[in-house]
Amino acid sequence: MFVLLVTYRAPLERIDELRPRHVAYLQRHYRDGTFLVSGRQRPPAGGVIVAADVDRAELERITATDPYVTEGAAEYTIVEFGPTQVADSVRAALGAAGVALPA
């Protein structure tokens, strides 16, 4: 499983201009099962995306196609982790998304 930390490198006005293309990018990767949850940081210094268990090289390729990245407006930090504890309320959803969960 991965946490993707998006850090803005451009003014918010530029981020807002690129947002429709970024949202289309997010939607594409929700449909293909890569992204599980996302949102803007508070205060708005970037975003956070939780991604399913995928090949890291593929995830790096995917993040490089984000319009925020291709336009030089943001960069990603990719953090991989293996869940060791999971709330009962999300266990089934994560399992259905293919995330390897502890017993």
Side-chain angles (χ1 to χ4, degrees):
M1 203 169 183
F2 296 88
V3 174
L4 311 177
L5 302 173
V6 183
T7 303
Y8 297 152
R9 297 291 179 214
L12 288 178
E13 295 79 19
R14 179 66 176 143
I15 296 299
D16 290 341
E17 290 171 6
L18 295 169
R19 185 172 317 285
R21 291 174 46 206
H22 172 72
V23 169
Y25 155 86
L26 291 172
Q27 291 171 341
R28 181 170 55 255
H29 295 294
Y30 274 107
R31 283 191 303 272
D32 71 18
T34 303
F35 295 162
L36 304 176
V37 64
S38 62
R40 197 177 222 188
Q41 295 178 30
R42 293 183 188 149
V48 178
I49 302 168
V50 177
D53 287 336
V54 296
D55 177 74
R56 186 183 181 106
E58 176 64 7
L59 190 57
E60 290 171 354
R61 186 199 63 74
I62 288 169
T63 59
T65 67
D66 183 340
Y68 285 167
V69 173
T70 62
E71 296 293 328
E75 64 185 23
Y76 277 75
T77 300
I78 300 174
V79 179
E80 184 173 3
F81 75 103
T84 56
Q85 295 186 48
V86 180
D88 291 337
S89 60
V90 296
R91 181 174 289 279
L94 290 175
V99 175
L101 301 172

